[in-house]
Amino acid sequence: MKIAIIGANGQLGTDLTEVLSPDNNVICLSHHDIEIKDIDKVNSVLSTIRPDIVINTAAYHVVPEAESFPDKAFAINGTGTLHLAKVCSDIHARLLHYSTDYVFDGKKLKPYTESDTPNPLNVYATTKLAGEHFALNYCEKSFVVRISGIYGKVPSRVKGGNFVSTMIKLAKEKPEVRVVDDEILTPTPTFAIAKNTAALIKTDKFGLYHMSCEGECSWYEFAKEIWKTLGLQTPLHPAKVKDFPMLVKRPVYSVLENANLIREGINEMPNWREALIQFLKNNPVNF
Ligand SMILES: NC(=O)c1ccc[n+]([C@@H]2O[C@H](COP(=O)([O-])OP(=O)(O)OC[C@H]3O[C@@H](n4cnc5c(N)ncnc54)[C@H](OP(=O)(O)O)[C@@H]3O)[C@@H](O)[C@H]2O)c1
């Protein structure tokens, strides 16, 4: 399969490239190669490559910044995805686009399936939800994959890190670390997402998917597991969301259930704790 990966040098793009390259003809596109805000550029680049599938990891996903720059967030997460969907449709390519657990408001307090109704609380999530609709409704052969709490060996480019790298940095630099225990998620390594994506794109079961690890935890429990696995000595304390200045509204509960992957018999996502321990073992020197 000829696969064009947009954002190939990003956190998720790097693992997608590694996982998909052995069995496919993978074309890596960085921001230098393609600007998804520009439909003419999208058209010229993808019409030249003629991929069987385009995988889009590009996003404007610094959540607090998106509140200040909603036009920019919509131009990338919304209209940018529309451009990809239109061009993919024109050149008869499939599209796989990543979205987020943040499309939900968290009030359900139980795992969200693909049939639950989104209610995004902030600009980032609202623009990502718009992108979902554009992908699904402007490209007949599209997959939209919601992911959650991601971390990889290459830190997120736009954020300059991820929760794991940030915790290790804080443990090295601060006398103590406080992490909230009243926001619940499912941490998920990008390598696991890349592997399950490889299984999904072999099918023609287009539509909406949740793809996060199994189980759930608070950010504090996530940090505690990092401390335990790495033997960090810096004191770690639980805190509450209200202890930190709220720059932006976030869901207090954003656990995803991979109902559609399970239905199709292709849910390969590991438990979050085992995946984290494995990740820390495999990447000992990167922090
Ligand atoms: N972080 C989380 O916990 C989380 C949770 C749920 C969903 N997600 C989603 O996960 C996806 C991947 O995140 P990630 O951490 O891999 O991101 P990342 O490391 O920041 O990588 C994004 C890539 O896209 C490129 N890019 C950005 N804007 C672009 C544009 N306008 N046109 C073309 N390329 C552009 C970036 O290039 P430059 O850096 O050179 O601009 C970079 O190569 C995003 O869709 C995000 O919304 C993340």
Side-chain angles (χ1 to χ4, degrees):
M1 214 180 328
K2 195 178 200 182
I3 303 174
I5 300 177
I6 298 178
N9 58 344
Q11 180 170 232
L12 176 54
T14 299
D15 278 322
L16 284 166
T17 303
E18 189 180 315
V19 166
L20 293 169
S21 290
D23 298 326
N24 300 282
N25 175 9
V26 172
I27 315 292
C28 294
L29 298 172
S30 70
H31 203 167
H32 178 73
D33 304 309
I34 189 167
E35 171 52 70
I36 66 167
K37 287 185 287 179
D38 178 350
I39 182 111
D40 294 331
K41 187 76 183 165
V42 170
N43 198 14
S44 66
V45 171
L46 295 181
S47 301
T48 305
I49 297 171
R50 294 259 153 199
D52 298 303
I53 182 164
V54 173
I55 299 184
N56 178 40
T57 73
Y60 185 56
H61 57 108
V62 185
V63 180
E65 255 183 39
E67 295 296 302
S68 307
F69 303 104
D71 292 351
K72 183 177 175 189
F74 196 82
I76 298 172
N77 300 337
T79 319
T81 311
L82 173 63
H83 295 157
L84 293 172
K86 280 183 168 172
V87 171
C88 283
S89 184
D90 288 348
I91 64 171
H92 306 292
R94 298 158 164 223
L95 172 65
L96 186 140
H97 173 72
Y98 290 100
S99 188
T100 173
D101 53 332
Y102 272 24
V103 296
F104 296 112
D105 62 18
K107 290 183 184 150
K108 186 180 175 192
L109 299 176
K110 279 197 286 184
Y112 284 95
T113 71
E114 293 86 349
S115 50
D116 284 312
T117 307
N119 182 32
L121 298 178
N122 55 49
V123 168
Y124 163 70
T126 304
T127 59
K128 289 292 285 187
L129 182 60
E132 290 187 0
H133 291 303
F134 286 143
L136 291 170
N137 294 322
Y138 283 80
C139 178
E140 209 175 301
K141 295 180 176 176
S142 62
F143 304 95
V144 168
V145 178
R146 292 185 183 138
I147 54 180
S148 137
I150 69 170
Y151 59 90
K153 58 178 177 279
V154 169
S156 168
R157 280 178 67 80
V158 70
K159 295 183 182 178
N162 55 47
F163 185 78
V164 176
S165 62
T166 302
M167 286 299 115
I168 293 167
K169 189 168 180 285
L170 290 177
K172 278 184 187 156
E173 293 174 357
K174 301 282 180 192
E176 59 174 26
V177 179
R178 307 178 77 79
V179 180
V180 297
D181 69 355
D182 53 355
E183 218 174 80
I184 309 297
L185 75 155
T186 306
T188 302
T190 44
F191 189 69
I193 297 168
K195 284 209 313 196
N196 216 147
T197 297
L200 178 59
I201 62 173
K202 283 186 188 142
T203 76
D204 56 1
K205 308 281 186 187
F206 305 110
L208 180 62
Y209 289 87
H210 289 178
M211 190 182 280
S212 70
C213 277
E214 299 297 326
E216 61 181 58
C217 64
S218 68
W219 288 104
Y220 172 69
E221 289 171 292
F222 184 6
K224 228 166 82 174
E225 197 59 49
I226 298 169
W227 255 243
K228 192 172 136 199
T229 308
L230 298 180
L232 301 178
Q233 297 301 316
T234 311
L236 172 70
H237 304 293
K240 298 291 171 200
V241 171
K242 67 172 173 46
D243 298 337
F244 295 91
M246 279 283 277
L247 297 172
V248 53
K249 279 193 275 179
R250 295 169 190 265
V252 294
Y253 184 95
S254 63
V255 175
L256 302 176
E257 184 177 330
N258 303 337
N260 286 349
L261 286 178
I262 292 166
R263 188 195 63 208
E264 299 303 338
I266 49 169
N267 181 38
E268 300 175 356
M269 298 306 284
N271 171 272
W272 75 266
R273 199 183 298 273
E274 286 155 23
L276 174 63
I277 293 167
Q278 194 59 48
F279 173 81
L280 293 170
K281 277 192 187 138
N282 290 348
N283 299 282
V285 291
N286 284 320
F287 301 104

